[in-house]
């Protein structure tokens, strides 16, 4: 299971999703994406961030181990970019 958060200040809004590592490990992994100016975001009963750029820290932040964890539990191919 996971959680979605909206984090905002007067200058920017971020959508963050976090999941616990469950039976595989302790802790959690997360991804946060900046909502572009002029857009709105919403939360519902499933993850909104399904893919994300690995090289755009101005608009996307993530926990150091999010890709390794996804590989470990079989959700990301081991030979794909990291």
């Amino acid at each position: 299971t996971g959680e979605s958060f909206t984090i905002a200040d007067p200058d920017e809004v971020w959508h963050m999703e976090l999941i616990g590592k469950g039976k595989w490990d302790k802790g959690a992994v997360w991804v946060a994406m900046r909502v572009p100016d002029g857009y709105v975001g919403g939360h519902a009963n499933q993850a909104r961030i399904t893919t994300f750029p690995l090289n755009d820290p101005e608009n996307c932040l993530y926990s150091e181990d999010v890709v390794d964890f996804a590989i470990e539990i079989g959700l990301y191919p081991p030979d794909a970019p990291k």
Side-chain angles (χ1 to χ4, degrees), residues 49-62:
I49 302 172
T50 57
T51 59
F52 56 94
L54 300 174
N55 59 352
D56 186 6
E58 293 292 317
N59 296 296
C60 181
L61 302 172
Y62 50 89

Side-chain angles (χ1 to χ4, degrees), residues 1 3 11 13 29 41-42 49 53 60 62 64 69-71 75 78:
T1 64
E3 297 291 335
D11 298 318
V13 178
V29 292
I49 302 172
C60 181
Y62 50 89
E64 282 185 11
F69 179 67
I71 290 170
L75 296 177

Side-chain angles (χ1 to χ4, degrees), residues 18-29:
L18 176 142
I19 63 166
K21 293 184 176 181
K23 66 182 181 181
W24 296 279
D25 203 350
K26 294 179 181 169
V29 292

